Amino acid sequence: MDVPLPHLDRPFDYLVPEALDADARPGVRVKVRFAGQLVDGWLLERVAESTHPKLAYLEKVVSPVPVLSPEVARLARAVADRYAGSLADVLRLAVPPRHARAEKAVTAADADPAPDAAGDAHVDVADVAPPAAADTPADPDRAPAGTPADPGSVRPEPAGAPVDPRGWRDYPAGPALVRALADGRAPRAVWSALPGEDWADRYADAVAATVAGGRGALVVVADARDLDRLDAALTALLGAGRHVRLTAADGPAARYRAFLAARRGEARVVIGTRAAMFAPVERLGLVAVWDDGDDLHAEPRAPYPHTREVLLTRAQLTGAAAVVGGYARTAEAQLLVETGWAREVVADRATVRARMPALAPTGDDPQLARDPGAASARLPSLAWTTARDALRADLPVLVQVPRRGYLPSVACAECRAPARCPHCAGPLGLPSAQGTPACRWCGRVAAAYACPECGGRRLRASVTGARRTAEELGRAFPGVPVRTSGREEVLATVPGGAGLVIATPGAEPVAEGGFGAVLLLDSWALLTRADLRAGEEALRRWMAAAALARPGASGGRVVVVADGALAPVQALLRWDAAWFAERELAERRELGFPPAVRMASVTGVAEAVADLLAGARLPDDAEVLGPVPAEEGRERMLVRVPRARAAALAGALHAAAGQRSARKAVDPVRLQVDPLSLF
C-alpha cells in the first residue's frame, strides 16, 4: 500500500471480486480499504488462497495497465532494504504518476491488453520477492546467488552482428567491451574518458552493440543538457524512434507515454535523468551512468537512493552489463575496480598525453618570484595572458567560477569582518553593482547595515560571483562578446569565434571546435569546503571544464588558479583521475569513511534521535558518532559499520523506525544511508 509508515512496509492480502478478476493483474494500480480509509496500492501477485482467515475485497482497479513489472518490483524491494526505507517510497520514485489521457491514447491504439514486460500475464511469489542474499546486491564485496561473479562472464544470449567500436579503439579494453555487449555477455566497466572525448557517442556505441545482441539498454545522465546530447547521438546512430527519453522536464504526458512504451516493450532503449534508473526495460542487457559524481544523481526524496547504486543493484539482480563513466572517477567507482567487481577502461599514457590540452597551475608562474603580491590576484598574469592570446587567435575562452550571482558574500571594508544579517545571522550579498545588501538565507534587505564590530558602513567583496566576473572581464577585454551560463540561463553551445564565456560548474557550454583557453578561477572555494568529497568534487568540475578545450598540446590551454603541489591539481595536470581516486579511497579506508565502510545518518530533534537509536538493535561492531548540529535546531548522529554488516545496519534502523511509527511518535527522524554530505 502507498502508506508512508515503516511499520506497514509489508504486503497485505485482499480478495479479488469477480467483477475485477480480468483487470486485477500483477503490476496494476489498485485502491483498497485500510483502517477505514481508501488508499492506493500495487497488486504484486495473485494466489489461490491466503493464510489469513478474514479478508476485505479490492475496492477498485485504477487502471488495467500493469505498470509495475516483476523485475522493477524486485529491484524496488532491494533498494528499500539497502537504504533502510519502505517499498512504497521507492515505488513512488520508480513509477511516474498516472496520466489518464496519455494512457487512454496508448491503449486505444492497441486493442490487445498491454503485455507484461516479463512476458507473462501472471507472476508467482518468486518473481516479486526480495533477493535471498543477506547483503546489498550492489555491494561489490558480495554478489548474490545466481549472479555472474566475473566481470566478463558469459550469459546465454544470442550473438549479434559485428559492431564497429569506433572511438572505443582509443582505449585498449574498449573494443573488447563492445564485442562483449554485442555477444550478449555482461561486462562491467569503469570508464575514464579522454580529454575532448564525445562521451555521448561512446555510450551510443555501447547501446548499439547491446541492441545488436538482442537486448535492451538503460543510460542515466545527470541533467537535461547531457540528456539532449545523448538523445542526439542515439538518434544519429540508431535512427529516430528507436529509443525513448524519461525526464520530468518533458512534461507529465510525454513522460508517461515514454514510460508506457518501455513497459510494453515497444522501446528497447531508455535514456533519462535520475528517475529513469527504475525504467522498465525488456530483456535488460546494459545499465550505464555518466558522471556518477554529480550530486544530481542523489535522490532528495526518501529513501534517498543514488543512481549509481540503484543501477549496480539492477545489474546484479538481472545479470546485465554495467558501465560507470566520467572524466573523473569517484571513490565508489574505484572500489568497484579494486574489489574486482568491474574492470577499468582507460587509455594508455601516450594517448592521454597526445589528447591533453596544455595544463598549467598559476602557482608555478615565474611572475610570482618577481612580484609576490601577484599570488593574491584573482586573475594572475598567466591566466590573463592565456585568455588574451586565445582571443587574439579568434578562439573562445571559458572561465569557470564556482559561485553564481554578483557578490554572494561581502565583508566590512574597514575591519574585514563578514557582513551578517541582523535578523538571522545569514551572510549578506550584493545582487548588483548598485544593489542593496540582502540576506542569502531569509531574503531581508539590509539597506542601513552597519558593522557590529567597528560601525563601518562600507562593504567589500569576500566572494566574487559569475556576474561580477563577467563585468570585470568585459572591462579587461573591451569589444569582446561576454556570455554567462548559470542557473538563470544555461547555454548548450557557443560559436567558435573570439568571445568570453563565464560559467558556473556544470553549466559550461560546448564550443564549436573547442575552447582556445579554459580558466579555472577561485579554486579555494572548491578545495576548502567542509566536505568529505571536496577534493574529489573539485577535480571532477575541473576535468569536465578542461575536457571542453581544443585537444592536443598545440590546441587549447587550461590554467587553474591553484598551487600545483595539491593532489587534485596534480591529478588534473597529469589527467590521471584513477591515481587520485585510488589515493582518495586509501585515505577514506584509513579514516573509516564511505565507501570503505557503510555509514548512516540519523537526523532529527535530539529526543527523537535518541529514542530511535535506543530502540535499534544495531550490529555489535557498530560505532555511534556524534551528535553534531544540523539544520533548524536539529542534530545528527552517525552510525558506522563494516561493509559486510551493511544489511544488518539498514534492517535495524528500519525496524526501529517502524517501532516509532507504530506507537505514533510525533517528531520525525530522517534516515540516510551513505549520504553525500556527512558534515
Side-chain angles (χ1 to χ4, degrees):
M1 296 182 299
D2 193 1
V3 178
L5 297 174
H7 70 284
L8 298 179
D9 183 29
R10 59 185 177 87
F12 288 84
D13 291 355
Y14 282 82
L15 289 172
V16 179
E18 185 177 356
L20 300 180
D21 180 59
D23 290 340
R25 294 184 292 164
V28 300
R29 290 182 168 100
V30 297
K31 285 187 179 293
V32 297
R33 188 73 59 179
F34 185 81
Q37 295 183 338
L38 203 60
V39 299
D40 294 324
W42 305 88
L43 200 159
L44 295 181
E45 62 172 325
R46 295 283 301 270
V47 294
E49 56 187 27
S50 172
T51 57
H52 298 280
K54 187 177 181 180
L55 299 178
Y57 280 93
L58 282 182
E59 291 286 333
K60 181 182 179 181
V61 174
V62 177
S63 166
V65 178
V67 290
L68 179 62
S69 69
E71 186 255 322
V72 173
R74 188 164 57 248
L75 171 67
R77 181 70 266 173
V79 170
D81 292 343
R82 186 213 187 281
Y83 285 97
S86 299
L87 178 61
D89 287 336
V90 180
L91 291 179
R92 218 173 290 127
L93 303 175
V95 182
R98 179 174 179 252
H99 194 282
R101 186 181 304 171
E103 184 178 276
K104 184 177 179 180
V106 171
T107 55
D110 188 355
D112 296 327
D116 186 78
D120 299 320
H122 301 279
V123 296
D124 58 24
V125 66
D127 290 325
V128 294
D135 203 358
T136 304
D139 194 334
D141 300 332
R142 178 174 181 178
T147 301
D150 181 73
S153 297
V154 179
R155 296 179 62 213
E157 300 282 357
V163 176
D164 185 0
R166 299 202 304 171
W168 285 106
R169 292 191 180 93
D170 292 331
Y171 308 86
L177 171 65
V178 175
R179 284 196 303 271
L181 293 173
D183 290 343
R185 288 179 283 162
R188 299 186 289 226
V190 172
W191 172 43
S192 296
L194 283 165
E197 178 66 86
D198 192 334
W199 61 267
D201 279 354
R202 299 294 75 74
Y203 270 19
D205 294 337
V207 168
T210 306
V211 172
R215 298 178 297 168
L218 170 62
V219 185
V220 182
V221 297
D223 55 36
R225 280 198 320 153
D226 286 348
L227 183 60
D228 291 341
R229 190 171 173 182
L230 181 61
D231 189 9
L234 282 171
T235 301
L237 187 61
L238 298 180
R242 296 290 301 278
H243 70 279
V244 294
R245 44 185 282 163
L246 276 177
T247 174
D250 288 344
R255 180 187 179 193
Y256 197 64
R257 278 196 300 269
F259 174 84
L260 290 180
R263 179 66 184 93
R264 291 155 58 90
E266 297 167 358
R268 301 287 293 277
V269 177
V270 177
I271 61 174
T273 49
R274 185 178 58 232
M277 57 187 167
F278 294 103
V281 179
E282 185 175 344
R283 299 191 67 218
L284 183 63
L286 169 67
V287 294
V289 58
W290 170 253
D291 196 12
D292 65 301
D294 195 313
D295 57 8
L296 291 176
H297 283 300
E299 174 60 54
R301 294 170 292 177
Y304 316 103
H306 193 282
T307 298
R308 176 190 57 246
E309 303 305 317
V310 172
L311 293 182
L312 297 183
T313 300
R314 200 163 183 182
Q316 286 275 49
L317 293 176
T318 62
V323 176
V324 178
Y327 293 114
R329 183 183 296 183
T330 60
E332 288 79 5
Q334 179 63 24
L335 181 65
L336 299 177
V337 174
E338 293 190 8
T339 57
W341 194 91
R343 296 174 181 169
E344 63 179 2
V345 177
V346 296
D348 57 54
R349 294 308 302 172
T351 304
V352 172
R353 285 191 291 269
R355 295 277 292 271
M356 280 173 54
L359 293 149
T362 56
D364 298 340
D365 188 358
Q367 174 69 17
L368 299 182
R370 299 190 296 269
D371 181 11
S376 61
R378 184 159 182 262
L379 192 68
S381 60
L382 176 61
W384 191 88
T385 55
T386 298
R388 181 199 60 192
D389 293 345
L391 294 173
R392 286 179 176 175
D394 196 29
L395 296 174
V397 175
L398 172 64
V399 182
Q400 186 192 74
V401 182
R403 304 292 178 84
R404 62 176 182 266
Y406 191 75
L407 294 179
S409 181
V410 293
C412 174
E414 307 298 334
C415 68
R416 304 296 196 267
R420 300 243 168 223
C421 175
H423 300 279
C424 70
L428 294 182
L430 280 173
S432 64
Q434 289 78 35
T436 304
C439 178
R440 293 175 53 210
W441 287 2
C442 68
R444 287 187 173 95
V445 175
Y449 174 80
C451 178
E453 302 293 332
C454 68
R457 292 184 175 275
R458 294 189 304 116
L459 297 173
R460 68 185 300 272
S462 288
V463 177
T464 303
R467 284 196 288 115
R468 174 63 179 265
T469 303
E471 184 180 285
E472 293 175 349
L473 291 176
R475 289 196 297 263
F477 298 100
V480 175
V482 179
R483 301 176 178 87
T484 59
S485 182
R487 185 175 66 173
E488 292 81 7
E489 182 184 7
V490 178
L491 304 177
T493 59
V494 293
L500 289 163
V501 179
I502 319 301
T504 51
E508 302 92 347
V510 176
E512 184 181 349
F515 286 98
V518 176
L519 310 182
L520 307 173
L521 304 187
D522 300 339
S523 59
W524 59 269
L526 295 175
L527 294 173
T528 59
R529 292 186 309 135
D531 192 287
L532 176 68
R533 305 173 185 271
E536 178 182 282
E537 178 66 5
L539 178 61
R540 185 187 73 82
R541 294 181 174 188
W542 291 342
M543 295 185 86
L548 300 175
R550 297 168 72 88
S554 59
R557 297 190 64 190
V558 178
V559 176
V560 54
V561 182
D563 183 357
L566 298 173
V569 181
Q570 278 290 307
L572 173 67
L573 300 180
R574 293 157 46 187
W575 202 271
D576 196 349
W579 168 79
F580 183 80
E582 182 180 355
R583 184 180 185 274
E584 186 81 2
L585 180 58
E587 290 181 354
R588 294 193 200 177
R589 187 178 284 119
E590 182 177 352
L591 297 173
F593 283 119
V597 299
R598 187 59 54 83
M599 190 171 283
S601 90
V602 185
T603 307
V605 297
E607 296 78 8
V609 171
D611 178 45
L612 185 141
L613 291 177
R617 302 182 63 179
L618 299 174
D620 295 337
D621 46 3
E623 298 178 73
V624 180
L625 311 174
V628 295
E631 65 277 4
E632 300 176 359
R634 297 183 293 174
E635 71 174 29
R636 173 183 293 182
M637 298 287 285
L638 300 175
V639 186
R640 177 169 59 193
V641 297
R643 290 186 64 86
R645 304 290 287 162
L649 172 63
L653 292 176
H654 184 56
Q659 294 170 9
R660 295 189 75 246
S661 69
R663 65 173 187 265
K664 300 181 180 179
V666 176
D667 296 317
V669 175
R670 185 174 69 222
L671 298 177
Q672 290 180 272
V673 177
D674 286 349
L676 283 183
S677 178
L678 293 175
F679 311 117

